[in-house]
Amino acid sequence: MAKLIPQEKIDEVLEQTDIVQIIENYVELKKTGKNYFGYCPFHDEKTPSFSVSPDKQIYHCFSCGRGGNVFGFLMERDNLSFPEAVIKTAELGHLELSNELQKDGYDSSKSDRRKVGTAALAKAGQFYQHTLKYTPIGEVARDYLNQRKLSSKAVDEFQIGFAPADRTLVGQIMSQNNFDTEELIQSGLFQDPDNQKELIGRFQNRLMIPLRDEQGEIIAFSGRIIPALTDEEEDSQFDQAKYINSPQTKLFNKGHFLFNLDLAKREIRKVNEVFLLEGYMDVISVYDAGIKQVVASLGTSLTESQINRLRSLTHRIVLGYDGDTPGMKATKRAIDLLRQTNHFEISVIPWPKGCDPDDYIKKHGAKQFLNFYQHNRETPFEFSKRFLEDQFRKTNSHDLMSMIPLLLGELKHANPIERDRYFSVLSEEFDISVDSLKEEFVALISQEKRDNHNKRIYQNVRIEPMKRDQIGKVERAERQILYRLMTKEIAWSYLPDDPIPFPSDDYQNLFWALVEFHQDKQAPFDVKSVLSKLNSETERGLLTEISLVDFDLAFTREEFDDLIRTVVDSVTVAQQIEKLKKELNEASRSGDKDKSKQIALKIMTLMNQKQKGDF
């Protein structure tokens, strides 16, 4: 039976870990005053409200309310159990602790399953690499890579391999290493083996590109067809596909995955820019040519999860999707999605028509490619103009009148200086006065505002989360009581003999958690340690927010007594309201309208008092 992680080891990890360094692996943080701020990784937002306190070693989002210590962050961000979060914190902090935990008997079935899965995929990767580099079977794949002018360094760095025609070989390798059959099926390496005695590999006669997570572990594969072997493959649509990816598994979710992020993320932070492509081979060629901040979204439409991950690393993004029509449409979709975040500075690389990054490098070489990348960038408006000109004919009056409003609509995203410049460009190119263009632009924006207003009218009303300046007198008192108990040992001696009846269950639960913690340790409390004792996400969020608020440093017995009186009186009022509600129900049942009105008036008066804090 697995042992629990000893508390002293948990405390040791907390003491030796810098939460800022850990969270910077996931969120782009900027220092403001004592704390660091960034965009919350747990929800979509347009202004940064996610705060990390190096002094208290906690995080808190002032928008969605989530908060906690470094363990809580990793548990929520990576869907880990508490023990897994402790071990991952130690690993990310380069602490020699995970081995000790294993010696102490730590075991997690979820963690073990992941290890088995990644171990199987790593073994398959070694088999594919060996087949490519050292066997006669891999010669055709080696020739193909040479034709693509891919360096041996890139082949090794990206662990590229080759899946042979015999699809039973990889299963035999796994059997020799005693991997569990069920785990192998879950890995995505094999087709469904129903009614078959041996494992049949998913990939055949394909160049194998490992898909690695941010820690560099293989979690899936993509197999690329090799033209020279096309005629020898089985005549099926599955085998003829240019790329075959592993299916979605417990380890691999295509919508969350960014190819090459493990190698690129450090450079992305360093240069504060990411080069986003749509294909694996493009990324490998570009990386080999010298641009290291490059990732790909697997040729699929960009997802919100992928955007959020990039947003945590940088605010500048360069789109380099293919120059063909599908690539340009994908670029347009990506721009629209990225604009919704109000975060990225976007630019586009205008490849020659029908060309992609790999084509350009093979034709012009790495040096000219690097120059093209640095000095031939389009703004989103310039890209949109080029994209629309492919869809419409400027010589056709009808097409022209359809295209100009679309171009003017793009200008709402440009800054005033860019806008004036583009008005002049459009005026000269289409022989339309700048004044006319500006007038049409204003009309478009006005119409859009009216449309948005009408949409809001017909939408269901949503109740927004309470902002801090909306917090009433009673809740402020609840927070201050808890804050004083956490920061001032003497406050505990000022508590009344009877427990404080907090009107809110969340604050009441926090109070009891602090009472329990105080039995072991005196205030001031180490907030990050208190958080480890809380199981409720709501309570963790409240505690982090309370601890980050700067209350008046002056503290007196009179102030604390007033705070307690405010909270207790509010509960008394609440009890009066509940009693009157029962009386109102009885009066209504008996048909006494006059008494019902009198009681209802009393309830309204008490509710107003409770809301204002006037008791």
Side-chain angles (χ1 to χ4, degrees):
M1 180 177 177
K3 301 177 185 176
L4 293 175
I5 301 176
Q7 185 61 46
E8 61 268 21
K9 294 188 182 296
I10 296 172
D11 294 340
E12 184 180 343
V13 175
L14 277 178
E15 289 302 319
Q16 296 185 33
T17 298
D18 181 356
I19 191 173
V20 175
Q21 291 183 1
I22 301 297
I23 290 182
E24 277 186 325
N25 287 296
Y26 300 86
V27 180
E28 183 183 14
L29 297 173
K30 293 182 179 179
K31 192 171 185 181
T32 303
K34 291 183 179 181
N35 297 334
Y36 290 79
F37 284 85
Y39 290 89
C40 181
F42 304 121
H43 79 286
D44 191 20
E45 61 179 3
K46 295 186 177 180
T47 55
S49 58
F50 182 82
S51 174
V52 183
S53 169
D55 293 339
K56 297 181 173 67
Q57 289 292 298
I58 60 175
Y59 72 93
H60 182 80
C61 177
F62 289 97
S63 179
C64 70
R66 289 179 173 88
N69 59 16
V70 65
F71 301 148
F73 178 85
L74 291 176
M75 287 168 67
E76 184 155 13
R77 174 60 179 77
D78 291 345
N79 192 28
L80 303 178
S81 67
F82 180 78
E84 289 171 333
V86 174
I87 287 184
K88 184 161 187 177
T89 301
E91 291 173 347
L92 293 174
H94 306 291
L95 304 177
E96 296 294 332
L97 194 62
S98 56
N99 288 336
E100 294 181 30
L101 294 176
Q102 291 167 0
K103 289 175 185 176
D104 282 336
Y106 166 69
D107 182 35
S108 165
S109 59
K110 180 179 176 182
S111 179
D112 286 347
R113 286 196 301 272
R114 177 181 175 85
K115 287 178 182 177
V116 171
T118 55
L121 291 163
K123 179 60 69 175
Q126 292 170 6
F127 166 70
Y128 294 139
Q129 281 180 278
H130 179 83
T131 304
L132 170 70
K133 296 176 69 173
Y134 303 114
T135 70
I137 297 174
E139 183 176 0
V140 66
R142 294 194 294 271
D143 290 342
Y144 173 71
L145 291 172
N146 288 332
Q147 291 170 17
R148 295 196 67 129
K149 300 179 181 180
L150 205 62
S151 72
S152 58
K153 179 182 178 183
V155 171
D156 290 339
E157 202 155 21
F158 285 88
Q159 303 172 304
I160 297 173
F162 176 66
D166 187 347
R167 289 193 285 172
T168 66
L169 291 178
V170 68
Q172 294 172 26
I173 295 292
M174 296 300 161
S175 298
Q176 292 170 11
N177 286 270
N178 298 318
F179 284 106
D180 179 74
T181 301
E182 184 59 32
E183 292 293 341
L184 291 176
I185 299 303
Q186 296 295 324
S187 73
L189 282 168
F190 303 95
Q191 294 187 36
D192 188 353
D194 288 347
N195 302 318
Q196 296 177 8
K197 294 183 179 180
E198 55 186 350
L199 294 168
I200 303 301
R202 176 174 294 273
F203 303 98
Q204 176 190 40
N205 277 345
R206 288 182 178 268
L207 200 69
M208 297 301 291
I209 304 166
L211 308 183
R212 302 181 300 220
D213 64 13
E214 288 191 44
Q215 284 70 50
E217 290 188 307
I218 298 175
I219 56 174
F221 285 95
S222 181
R224 192 201 190 283
I225 201 168
I226 295 177
L229 296 175
T230 302
D231 294 335
E232 300 175 21
E233 294 180 357
E234 297 176 14
D235 185 18
S236 72
Q237 187 176 3
F238 176 83
D239 286 311
Q240 293 296 333
K242 186 175 180 181
Y243 284 99
I244 297 173
N245 291 329
S246 295
Q248 182 163 311
T249 67
K250 293 177 181 178
L251 296 176
F252 175 61
N253 184 320
K254 187 166 64 172
H256 297 168
F257 181 77
L258 286 165
F259 180 67
N260 195 47
L261 190 57
D262 59 319
L263 298 180
K265 62 181 178 181
R266 179 172 295 184
E267 190 70 13
I268 292 171
R269 291 185 184 278
K270 180 180 176 182
V271 301
N272 191 24
E273 176 177 282
V274 61
F275 189 23
L276 180 62
L277 306 179
E278 60 175 292
Y280 315 108
M281 297 306 294
D282 287 332
V283 167
I284 296 170
S285 294
V286 167
Y287 192 92
D288 198 30
I291 296 176
K292 307 300 184 184
Q293 67 273 18
V294 59
V295 299
S297 54
L298 304 198
T300 61
S301 297
L302 202 57
T303 67
E304 183 178 335
S305 175
Q306 291 165 334
I307 291 172
N308 286 338
R309 185 64 190 101
L310 293 176
R311 187 173 66 174
S312 71
L313 296 170
T314 181
H315 68 271
R316 289 189 358 223
I317 188 163
V318 183
L319 297 172
Y321 289 174
D322 294 356
D324 55 14
T325 299
M328 292 184 72
K329 288 181 178 179
T331 301
K332 183 67 173 67
R333 287 194 300 271
I335 290 172
D336 292 340
L337 285 169
L338 291 166
R339 276 174 170 166
Q340 292 176 17
T341 68
N342 197 30
H343 173 75
F344 290 101
E345 177 186 315
I346 308 167
S347 57
V348 180
I349 302 296
W351 306 116
K353 195 169 184 64
C355 183
D356 62 34
D358 184 47
D359 295 333
Y360 193 95
I361 292 170
K362 285 190 292 186
K363 184 175 181 179
H364 301 286
K367 185 176 180 180
Q368 188 169 331
F369 168 77
L370 292 173
N371 183 69
F372 189 82
Y373 174 76
Q374 292 295 342
H375 302 293
N376 290 270
R377 300 184 182 187
E378 293 179 322
T379 64
F381 175 82
E382 289 167 337
F383 165 79
S384 296
K385 182 173 178 295
R386 180 165 60 91
F387 176 68
L388 289 171
E389 285 174 349
D390 269 357
Q391 317 297 314
F392 298 95
R393 292 175 298 168
K394 292 189 290 184
T395 55
N396 182 289
S397 298
H398 181 269
D399 279 9
L400 185 61
M401 290 303 102
S402 299
M403 182 172 68
I404 287 177
L406 295 175
L407 285 171
L408 292 175
E410 287 291 317
L411 287 180
K412 68 185 178 184
H413 303 287
N415 62 50
I417 296 175
E418 287 180 320
R419 197 175 295 154
D420 279 347
R421 174 172 168 261
Y422 292 137
F423 278 138
S424 298
V425 169
L426 294 176
S427 173
E428 183 175 346
E429 184 167 344
F430 298 128
D431 194 24
I432 301 173
S433 72
V434 170
D435 289 341
S436 295
L437 290 170
K438 288 184 176 179
E439 184 178 338
E440 179 65 17
F441 175 75
V442 170
L444 282 171
I445 297 303
S446 298
Q447 183 61 49
E448 184 176 289
K449 287 181 179 178
R450 286 194 295 272
D451 291 343
N452 289 336
H453 176 70
N454 290 336
K455 285 180 182 178
R456 284 194 294 271
I457 290 176
Y458 292 106
Q459 284 175 344
N460 291 331
V461 177
R462 285 195 315 169
I463 300 175
E464 297 294 337
M466 180 178 285
K467 307 297 182 183
R468 184 181 296 175
D469 58 2
Q470 295 175 308
I471 292 173
K473 180 179 178 181
V474 174
E475 187 171 359
R476 282 199 299 273
E478 290 178 295
R479 291 179 174 218
Q480 284 183 271
I481 290 171
L482 296 176
Y483 179 82
R484 297 306 187 194
L485 292 174
M486 284 192 293
T487 58
K488 302 288 184 182
E489 174 60 27
I490 195 172
W492 289 90
S493 66
Y494 296 161
L495 288 175
D497 293 334
D498 294 328
I500 302 174
F502 288 82
S504 163
D505 289 342
D506 291 325
Y507 290 108
Q508 187 75 71
N509 292 337
L510 270 182
F511 172 73
W512 289 121
L514 294 182
V515 169
E516 182 180 353
F517 197 82
H518 186 253
Q519 293 173 356
D520 299 323
K521 297 183 179 181
Q522 292 185 332
F525 293 157
D526 182 356
V527 178
K528 65 180 184 292
S529 297
V530 180
L531 288 164
S532 296
K533 304 289 186 181
L534 301 177
N535 296 320
S536 164
E537 178 186 308
T538 302
E539 291 168 15
R540 289 196 296 268
L542 281 175
L543 188 62
T544 54
E545 184 167 352
I546 291 168
S547 66
L548 290 173
V549 173
D550 291 326
F551 290 109
D552 185 359
L553 294 178
F555 175 61
T556 64
R557 173 68 181 267
E558 290 74 18
E559 176 216 31
F560 199 64
D561 287 344
D562 286 343
L563 294 173
I564 293 174
R565 191 176 301 110
T566 297
V567 170
V568 172
D569 287 349
S570 74
V571 174
T572 303
V573 171
Q575 291 171 342
Q576 291 179 39
I577 291 173
E578 287 303 312
K579 181 180 178 183
L580 286 170
K581 284 182 177 179
K582 291 179 181 179
E583 293 179 6
L584 179 61
N585 288 333
E586 292 176 3
S588 297
R589 281 197 296 268
S590 64
D592 192 337
K593 294 183 179 180
D594 290 337
K595 188 175 181 180
S596 295
K597 288 180 181 179
Q598 292 173 4
I599 295 172
L601 183 60
K602 289 181 182 179
I603 292 174
M604 290 176 61
T605 302
L606 286 172
M607 289 181 72
N608 287 333
Q609 289 177 352
K610 186 174 184 295
Q611 186 175 7
K612 295 177 182 178
D614 298 330
F615 307 116

